[in-house]
Amino acid sequence: MKNVRVGNHPFMDQSLIAKINSANVALQQLQPINGPTALIVSYVQIKTFCLDLLQANPDNPSFIQAFDMLNEANWKIASPMLDFYESKRVKSYQEAFSQLKATTQAAVTVLTQ
């Protein structure tokens, strides 16, 4: 894990990254059969923690990249996934569910490299 000083709190980044990792572990265990709610809640939580990191240190390229990945996933994957779920397009929903999990994992990996 990177030891990057964030704002006036040298361990704030490590704490937020630990929270991101914890939320990601829970997110990765979710299955599409249980519906999209828990996935979206975990995804939004991770995105919010990433935004906190970025706001505290706006020049950190890893924070920028991770947040951009999650932000793009919001309109490219998460929103359509909810539409697929509501319209009972099961295969499309399951694919989007898996894509959102993979994209979230990739963004978290960027933060912890």
Side-chain angles (χ1 to χ4, degrees):
M1 182 183 309
K2 296 176 187 172
N3 187 11
V4 179
R5 184 177 175 91
V6 176
N8 293 325
H9 306 284
F11 299 106
M12 180 181 172
D13 65 319
Q14 291 176 350
S15 174
L16 285 171
I17 289 172
K19 289 178 182 179
I20 289 168
N21 282 327
S22 178
N24 185 52
V25 167
L27 180 144
Q28 295 303 323
Q29 294 174 359
L30 298 172
Q31 298 300 317
I33 194 150
N34 298 324
T37 303
L39 177 67
I40 294 297
V41 168
S42 294
Y43 160 77
V44 169
Q45 182 181 39
I46 291 168
K47 186 177 169 189
T48 301
F49 289 146
C50 281
L51 179 59
D52 291 344
L53 285 172
L54 184 58
Q55 288 176 334
N57 193 347
D59 297 326
N60 184 301
S62 295
F63 298 169
I64 294 167
Q65 182 182 2
F67 182 77
D68 286 349
M69 291 170 72
L70 293 170
N71 199 42
E72 185 175 327
N74 189 53
W75 57 272
K76 278 190 172 179
I77 304 169
S79 292
M81 180 189 71
L82 294 174
D83 292 339
F84 298 146
Y85 182 77
E86 290 295 318
S87 63
K88 303 199 186 312
R89 293 171 55 197
V90 175
K91 184 174 180 179
S92 296
Y93 159 69
Q94 289 174 338
E95 289 171 356
F97 192 99
S98 294
Q99 276 186 306
L100 188 57
K101 285 174 59 174
T103 300
T104 303
Q105 179 61 57
V108 170
T109 299
V110 167
L111 291 174
T112 58
Q113 289 179 341

